[in-house]
Amino acid sequence: MGEIRNKDGLTEEEFLKQYKPSKYERPSVTVDMLILCMSRYLDNLKVLLIQRKNHPYINCWALAGGFVGIYESTYDAACRELQEETGLVTNTYLEQLYTMSNPDRDPRMRVIDVAYITLMREQPVLAGDDAKKALWFDISLHDDILELKNEEENINIKYCLHKKIFKNGVVDTTGYTQESITDEKLAFDHNEIILEGLLRLKNKILYSDIAFNLLPEEFTLPDVKRVYEVILGKELYKSNFNANIKSKLISTDCKITSMIKGGKKAAGYKYKGQ
Amino acid sequence: MGEIRNKDGLTEEEFLKQYKPSKYERPSVTVDMLILCMSRYLDNLKVLLIQRKNHPYINCWALAGGFVGIYESTYDAACRELQEETGLVTNTYLEQLYTMSNPDRDPRMRVIDVAYITLMREQPVLAGDDAKKALWFDISLHDDILELKNEEENINIKYCLHKKIFKNGVVDTTGYTQESITDEKLAFDHNEIILEGLLRLKNKILYSDIAFNLLPEEFTLPDVKRVYEVILGKELYKSNFNANIKSKLISTDCKITSMIKGGKKAAGYKYKGQ
DNA sequence: CAAATAGTGTCTCTTAGACAATATCTC
DNA sequence: GAGATATTGTCTAAGAGACACTATTTG
């Protein structure tokens, strides 16, 4: 195999030795993490945002992220950043979401951003090493309004969504353009990443068990149901939901208090884990 | 907004002027296109592969692709390469598939590759400008064997798939490792892209209309059914399938000959397009 | 004890799955 | 005309959707 020569008469070894990779101008590559958890009383999803302390988008809120090292995969970079930026444990669900590549998405330079989505239980976050503020924001997505809110700090970020249908081959594909309708804004195209992530989550809980990443180890049936309801954005029927979900659960034979506000004691369950 | 100053006292404009983007070593970024169509008699899917004429993976078959220009999005790059490399018309279904980022996936240098999937009708392909050979390969994916075959040139590429289950948070995720079991091989990690694309397609035809991108404008019910059967890898019931699909179709009030070998004349239909 | 939530049962309607029967076309 | 394929119809089983009822817990 190494014996094959190319049109210049070079073997692979010789070729690699003389290869100059600087033929093309190269973009920077970053990863960003859409870090989601459920609120304490299971009222809504939350997203972790970090306040930027420098241009561009100074003072704006952004997803946690950073540059991809030259010797690491984007997945490894995402794990590393997750730890570094927030001090969060890494044993969480982590899935590649979408690669953002609009050439003018970053005014500093050309940056291609590989977005990941992470599902975890809520936990206190350390401020990053460079004194950036990190906060959980309540998410609501109703009536074409995407709203991110932090009550304690009284921060409110709102986007208005406009449906956009474009032809992709013979099929119509629905996309969204977004318009910020508050003073506070998200940095870069992070609003698009958040929306994309919410849609992915909504779609994927219907045929997978990823929702259990958002719950503690032990939970009640109303707790799981609430998680599905928040993500799907609609009420579900108790009886039907319970019957379906039970096949994925093991009873712990304890009665525990539901996480839901006003919830009662109910049977404890664990995720069976296939 | 431009008036806000960072900790060095710079406005955004001043900051951008002095910003040096060369702090981090940057990977090259490429796009690759998984170009799929149906075979003439609707027997199987086909993938377009290009034979490499230089190291690395000299003489191996690879997906069409190329470098992302510094002023274009990866989507635009994919469209451009589609045209340049193969002369194929660009009005085809084009969807981002996955970003491949293993640091040693290219022995020349660090390359991050954004893979796209394209669905089209079969058409003759021009050899690329740099005299590379471009051929359609019949795909078969059965019993954990991925096989790519070109009858005319007698080329056979086979991979054996091994199921690999890994924990992602609390859920088990199924992946595959692949092992080439023929002399001919695919370049880089393109085998992984092909498998990922086939799985995406299999999943997505169940809830979308993308399959119609693989058919000519007018077709018969048995034709559509066959496309679904090939992609799903199983036989479907005529009666049930027809009843379901008809809501997406308009009759052309003509009888046309089915594309299927041994097929009869049957009612012609067009995709209604939502 | 009152009000709300947890848990169970049942009914309907739709859909998926499976065959059977007839009509039509190709060779 | 024989053998295949196209087209339509029917039956069953499983699942989604909807609601009612009882049991339990909280305040």
Side-chain angles (χ1 to χ4, degrees):
Chain A
M1 190 65 181
E3 287 307 303
I4 303 177
R5 292 171 184 277
N6 70 4
K7 65 179 199 301
D8 302 321
L10 300 178
T11 65
E12 176 162 15
E13 194 179 351
E14 290 161 356
F15 170 84
L16 290 175
K17 200 166 286 172
Q18 60 84 51
Y19 183 81
K20 293 198 184 46
S22 49
K23 263 203 292 201
Y24 296 88
E25 202 179 340
R26 279 171 283 175
S28 296
V29 178
T30 58
V31 286
D32 276 317
M33 276 87 56
L34 175 60
I35 305 174
L36 301 177
C37 75
M38 292 296 297
S39 69
R40 184 148 36 129
Y41 299 118
L42 305 181
D43 293 316
N44 46 259
L45 278 166
K46 292 182 145 193
V47 58
L48 185 74
L49 297 178
I50 285 172
Q51 191 170 31
R52 291 184 55 81
K53 284 294 172 221
N54 202 351
H55 300 296
Y57 297 101
I58 191 166
N59 294 336
C60 288
W61 294 85
L63 299 176
F67 287 92
V68 175
I70 202 72
Y71 298 122
E72 65 183 355
S73 68
T74 53
Y75 184 89
D76 289 343
C79 289
R80 179 179 51 71
E81 290 285 345
L82 200 57
Q83 184 94 54
E84 279 178 22
E85 288 240 23
T86 65
L88 297 172
V89 289
T90 55
N91 187 23
T92 53
Y93 184 82
L94 183 59
E95 179 191 338
Q96 190 182 304
L97 184 58
Y98 203 78
T99 297
M100 311 297 290
S101 71
N102 191 318
D104 50 13
R105 58 182 296 282
D106 189 322
R108 290 171 294 182
M109 56 184 166
R110 179 69 198 278
V111 178
I112 286 176
D113 179 44
V114 185
Y116 280 80
I117 181 172
T118 302
L119 306 178
M120 54 169 64
R121 291 143 198 178
E122 182 171 10
Q123 47 197 294
V125 284
L126 310 174
D129 45 349
D130 38 1
K132 285 187 260 184
K133 202 189 274 184
L135 289 178
W136 289 105
F137 283 70
D138 294 324
I139 300 176
S140 103
L141 177 57
H142 293 297
D143 308 320
D144 291 330
I145 300 283
L146 170 65
E147 190 173 4
L148 309 176
K149 212 190 286 189
N150 181 288
E151 301 278 6
E152 293 84 37
E153 308 262 335
N154 199 31
I155 307 168
N156 212 326
I157 305 172
K158 250 190 202 175
Y159 282 83
C160 183
L161 311 187
H162 304 281
K163 200 173 279 188
K164 183 188 69 176
I165 293 170
F166 57 95
K167 272 239 173 299
N168 192 353
V170 302
V171 306
D172 285 343
T173 307
T174 314
Y176 292 92
T177 57
Q178 297 179 49
E179 182 192 357
S180 159
I181 53 176
T182 45
D183 291 342
E184 300 274 5
K185 273 183 208 171
L186 291 166
F188 307 105
D189 45 16
H190 290 186
N191 55 329
E192 294 177 37
I193 297 176
I194 292 175
L195 184 62
E196 185 71 28
L198 294 177
L199 298 177
R200 168 83 60 98
L201 181 57
K202 191 168 174 171
N203 190 44
K204 198 154 182 178
I205 58 163
L206 294 175
Y207 64 90
S208 80
D209 297 348
I210 60 173
F212 294 108
N213 288 288
L214 296 164
L215 283 165
E217 199 170 352
E218 193 176 6
F219 47 80
T220 68
L221 288 176
D223 290 343
V224 205
K225 175 164 159 284
R226 173 60 73 83
V227 171
Y228 276 76
E229 287 174 334
V230 166
I231 292 172
L232 294 173
K234 65 174 179 188
E235 273 197 50
L236 302 173
Y237 290 95
K238 220 185 333 192
S239 161
N240 308 326
F241 182 85
N242 287 0
N244 289 331
I245 207 80
K246 267 187 181 167
S247 64
K248 298 179 177 178
L249 305 179
I250 298 175
S251 166
T252 60
D253 295 319
C254 310
K255 283 217 148 188
I256 61 172
T257 305
S258 160
M259 298 172 71
I260 299 168
K261 222 179 301 188
K264 293 197 311 183
K265 262 189 190 158
Y269 288 90
K270 287 187 180 185
Y271 172 57
K272 201 193 284 180
Q274 219 300 329
Chain B
M1 190 67 182
E3 287 307 303
I4 303 177
R5 292 171 184 276
N6 71 4
K7 65 179 198 300
D8 302 322
L10 300 177
T11 66
E12 176 161 16
E13 195 178 352
E14 290 161 355
F15 170 84
L16 289 174
K17 201 166 283 173
Q18 58 85 50
Y19 183 81
K20 292 196 185 48
S22 50
K23 262 203 291 199
Y24 296 87
E25 203 178 338
R26 279 171 283 175
S28 296
V29 178
T30 58
V31 287
D32 277 317
M33 277 87 56
L34 175 61
I35 305 173
L36 300 176
C37 75
M38 291 297 296
S39 69
R40 182 148 39 126
Y41 299 117
L42 306 181
D43 294 316
N44 45 257
L45 278 166
K46 291 180 145 195
V47 58
L48 185 74
L49 297 178
I50 285 172
Q51 191 170 32
R52 290 183 56 79
K53 283 296 174 220
N54 201 352
H55 301 296
Y57 296 101
I58 191 168
N59 294 335
C60 287
W61 293 85
L63 299 177
F67 287 92
V68 175
I70 202 72
Y71 297 121
E72 65 183 356
S73 68
T74 53
Y75 184 89
D76 290 343
C79 290
R80 179 180 50 72
E81 290 284 346
L82 201 58
Q83 187 93 55
E84 279 178 20
E85 289 240 23
T86 65
L88 298 171
V89 290
T90 55
N91 187 23
T92 53
Y93 184 82
L94 184 59
E95 179 191 338
Q96 190 181 304
L97 184 57
Y98 204 77
T99 297
M100 311 297 290
S101 71
N102 191 318
D104 50 12
R105 59 182 294 283
D106 189 321
R108 291 171 295 182
M109 55 185 169
R110 178 69 197 279
V111 178
I112 286 176
D113 179 44
V114 185
Y116 281 81
I117 181 171
T118 303
L119 306 178
M120 54 169 63
R121 291 143 199 177
E122 182 170 10
Q123 47 196 293
V125 283
L126 311 173
D129 47 347
D130 38 2
K132 284 188 263 185
K133 203 187 274 183
L135 288 178
W136 290 104
F137 283 69
D138 295 323
I139 300 176
S140 102
L141 178 57
H142 292 297
D143 307 320
D144 291 330
I145 299 284
L146 170 64
E147 191 173 2
L148 309 176
K149 212 190 284 190
N150 181 289
E151 301 278 5
E152 294 84 37
E153 308 263 335
N154 199 31
I155 306 168
N156 212 326
I157 305 172
K158 250 190 201 173
Y159 282 82
C160 183
L161 311 187
H162 304 283
K163 199 172 280 186
K164 183 187 68 177
I165 293 170
F166 57 95
K167 273 238 172 299
N168 192 351
V170 302
V171 306
D172 285 344
T173 307
T174 314
Y176 291 92
T177 56
Q178 297 179 50
E179 180 193 359
S180 159
I181 53 177
T182 45
D183 291 343
E184 299 274 5
K185 274 182 207 170
L186 291 167
F188 307 105
D189 45 16
H190 290 186
N191 55 329
E192 294 177 39
I193 296 175
I194 292 175
L195 184 62
E196 184 71 27
L198 294 177
L199 297 177
R200 168 84 60 101
L201 182 56
K202 192 168 174 172
N203 190 45
K204 198 154 181 177
I205 58 164
L206 294 175
Y207 65 91
S208 81
D209 297 349
I210 58 173
F212 294 108
N213 289 288
L214 296 163
L215 283 164
E217 199 172 351
E218 192 177 6
F219 47 79
T220 68
L221 288 175
D223 290 343
V224 205
K225 175 164 159 285
R226 174 60 73 83
V227 171
Y228 275 77
E229 286 174 333
V230 165
I231 292 172
L232 294 173
K234 66 174 181 190
E235 273 197 50
L236 301 173
Y237 289 96
K238 225 182 330 193
S239 160
N240 309 325
F241 182 84
N242 288 359
N244 289 330
I245 207 80
K246 266 186 181 168
S247 64
K248 299 178 177 181
L249 305 180
I250 299 175
S251 166
T252 60
D253 294 319
C254 311
K255 283 217 150 189
I256 61 171
T257 305
S258 160
M259 299 172 71
I260 299 167
K261 223 179 300 187
K264 294 195 313 182
K265 263 189 188 156
Y269 288 91
K270 286 187 183 185
Y271 172 57
K272 200 193 286 179
Q274 175 13 283

